[in-house]
Amino acid sequence: MCDNSSFGSTVKFGHNIKTLFRWTGSTYRLVWKEFIIYTMAYIGLSIVYDFALDDEGKKGFEDISAYCSKYTSSLPIILLLGFFTSTSMQRWFSLVHSMPGTTRVIASFVMSIKEGQPEGYQIVEQYSRWIVLGWALTFRLICKPLKRVFPTLVSLENAGLLLPHERLQLESELASNHPIVVVQWNLALLKRCNRQGLFMDFSDYQRNQDNLMTFKKSCGDTIKFAAKNIPFALIQAVTITVYSYGLASLMARQLTDEHTPTSFTIRYFPVLNAFQYFLYYLWLQFGRLAAYPFSDDENDIDIKRLLQAHVDDAVRWQSLYSSPGLTEQIVSHSLNNSSHEWMNLACPKAQRGLISEPLANGNNQESALM
């Protein structure tokens, strides 16, 4: 048997290197402008100290530098950043966990409707469209990029998600109540299906009603988490603290003797000071991104792409009712032509030979004893 541990380590190392130098969505993209400004300011202060100040001016510059060094060491920046980032990430995880999905509620309804009903496909299509419409109306309240795509209810009507008479009813309601109104439409549709006996089992009505109310709760939780944002005063306090540390670190540089080997590097290349400051700055940026994950940044949640994915899934689930023949043909063909080769993945041929050899030796020994 060959040892694949070295090969796996090499692949993992190559993947880590590729991730380290990735630009899209990276930390370098978040700080490159600020890093250039910081470096230019640092070099400018070094030039002023070396060439523009006399001995008395240098003495005052060194006093200010010593004061800034003492100031940076006394800032509670780690405590503030840790509290802010942990709060933002907890809120981000809660928000992502509460985001509603459309697959379960649509698939459950499609699979519970009897086949061959005169209005079956229209009912399935109507139910699926209202679920997607409720999802879009929910995130239209909290997501600015989606709000720009659908600025009015007329834009939703032009996209086919809304009918004219439905738009008139929604316009008479508050925007915050639009998802609830759409859920009420689906509840009325479930009630009609139950009254007409369109469900395959008597428990389908209650199960679809539970799924729909779970969907409603997820929409409400998403709006609640997005509306109750992190207090602006906390974000402002952390931002002021980080920027104050950055300004003070420009002056709190280590002034060494001119004849030391590292004097030129320390004077004109802010390696250590910039590294420490931009770690704090990245920490602040991560907290900001987590505080509002529905913006246009590439690190945010792409709600427009998610909406398109939910529309595609809804159309795919509708096909189980509109054209079930193709799916049933695939299932029947697979049953009649089943393959067992996939079980070789659990025990490849090379290993099967190694396993069969001890078994064969054991059988030979037993036959010799007999």
Side-chain angles (χ1 to χ4, degrees):
M1 296 179 62
C2 60
D3 187 8
N4 295 328
S5 60
S6 59
F7 176 74
S9 301
T10 304
V11 173
K12 185 176 180 180
F13 178 76
H15 179 71
N16 293 335
I17 293 297
K18 184 179 180 180
T19 303
L20 184 62
F21 290 99
R22 176 183 173 181
W23 175 258
T24 304
S26 63
T27 57
Y28 314 118
R29 187 177 177 273
L30 294 175
V31 301
W32 71 273
K33 295 179 181 179
E34 290 79 5
F35 181 77
I36 293 176
I37 296 174
Y38 186 92
T39 303
M40 292 177 63
Y42 188 92
I43 295 175
L45 288 175
S46 299
I47 293 175
V48 169
Y49 176 81
D50 291 335
F51 303 103
L53 297 179
D54 53 8
D55 294 339
E56 184 176 356
K58 289 183 178 180
K59 182 63 171 59
F61 188 94
E62 293 174 0
D63 293 339
I64 297 175
S65 177
Y67 175 78
C68 291
S69 179
K70 184 178 180 181
Y71 173 76
T72 55
S73 61
S74 62
L75 277 175
I77 186 170
I78 296 179
L79 179 63
L80 284 174
L81 276 175
F83 176 74
F84 170 66
T85 307
S86 62
T87 303
S88 300
M89 293 306 298
Q90 289 177 2
R91 179 180 173 276
W92 186 86
F93 282 114
S94 299
L95 181 60
V96 172
H97 182 71
S98 64
M99 288 177 62
T102 61
T103 299
R104 179 179 180 181
V105 63
I106 294 177
S108 176
F109 181 78
V110 171
M111 300 303 294
S112 62
I113 298 295
K114 294 180 180 179
E115 298 179 358
Q117 299 299 315
E119 298 180 353
Y121 179 70
Q122 288 80 4
I123 291 175
V124 168
E125 183 182 6
Q126 190 88 320
Y127 190 87
S128 303
R129 180 175 63 85
W130 281 342
I131 291 296
V132 176
L133 175 62
W135 194 95
L137 290 173
T138 298
F139 285 93
R140 183 174 170 268
L141 295 174
I142 60 178
C143 180
K144 293 181 180 179
L146 192 62
K147 179 70 174 179
R148 287 194 293 268
V149 176
F150 302 111
T152 60
L153 295 178
V154 177
S155 60
L156 288 171
E157 180 182 350
N158 296 332
L161 290 174
L162 197 61
L163 298 180
H165 67 280
E166 298 170 353
R167 175 179 58 82
L168 293 177
Q169 182 177 356
L170 290 179
E171 286 177 349
S172 63
E173 300 283 346
L174 295 175
S176 58
N177 295 332
H178 288 172
I180 301 177
V181 174
V182 175
V183 171
Q184 290 176 349
W185 295 346
N186 269 336
L187 285 174
L189 184 57
L190 288 178
K191 188 175 181 180
R192 177 179 177 180
C193 293
N194 184 52
R195 185 170 58 249
Q196 295 179 355
L198 298 180
F199 290 121
M200 300 182 66
D201 189 79
F202 69 93
S203 62
D204 290 336
Y205 174 65
Q206 184 63 40
R207 183 172 64 252
N208 283 284
Q209 186 177 1
D210 294 340
N211 292 334
L212 186 59
M213 297 309 294
T214 302
F215 174 78
K216 174 185 175 297
K217 183 179 184 301
S218 298
C219 293
D221 291 342
T222 302
I223 296 175
K224 178 183 68 175
F225 280 115
K228 294 183 178 180
N229 207 333
I230 297 177
F232 180 76
L234 175 60
I235 302 176
Q236 190 178 43
V238 178
T239 303
I240 292 175
T241 302
V242 173
Y243 285 173
S244 299
Y245 179 87
L247 292 175
S249 65
L250 289 172
M251 290 294 297
R253 60 199 182 99
Q254 183 180 358
L255 300 176
T256 60
D257 188 32
E258 296 181 357
H259 301 289
T260 58
T262 60
S263 60
F264 181 80
T265 302
I266 294 175
R267 289 176 185 272
Y268 293 98
F269 294 96
V271 180
L272 298 179
N273 289 342
F275 183 76
Q276 186 176 10
Y277 165 63
F278 281 104
L279 282 180
Y280 294 151
Y281 183 78
L282 284 173
W283 206 351
L284 174 64
Q285 290 296 94
F286 294 153
R288 285 177 172 176
L289 292 175
Y292 185 73
F294 299 128
S295 185
D296 291 324
D297 193 85
E298 61 183 9
N299 294 305
D300 293 324
I301 301 174
D302 193 351
I303 297 298
K304 293 182 289 185
R305 183 180 61 83
L306 281 179
L307 175 60
Q308 184 61 46
H310 285 302
V311 172
D312 297 339
D313 288 342
V315 174
R316 187 177 297 109
W317 287 116
Q318 290 179 46
S319 65
L320 288 178
Y321 187 86
S322 61
S323 56
L326 179 60
T327 304
E328 292 178 357
Q329 289 177 6
I330 294 176
V331 173
S332 300
H333 185 72
S334 299
L335 289 174
N336 296 329
N337 301 275
S338 59
S339 174
H340 304 287
E341 295 296 328
W342 62 274
M343 290 186 290
N344 294 332
L345 296 174
C347 185
K349 294 181 179 180
Q351 295 183 6
R352 279 187 296 171
L354 295 175
I355 294 174
S356 61
E357 288 180 0
L359 293 177
N361 295 332
N363 294 331
N364 293 333
Q365 292 176 3
E366 290 180 358
S367 60
L369 290 175
M370 292 297 294

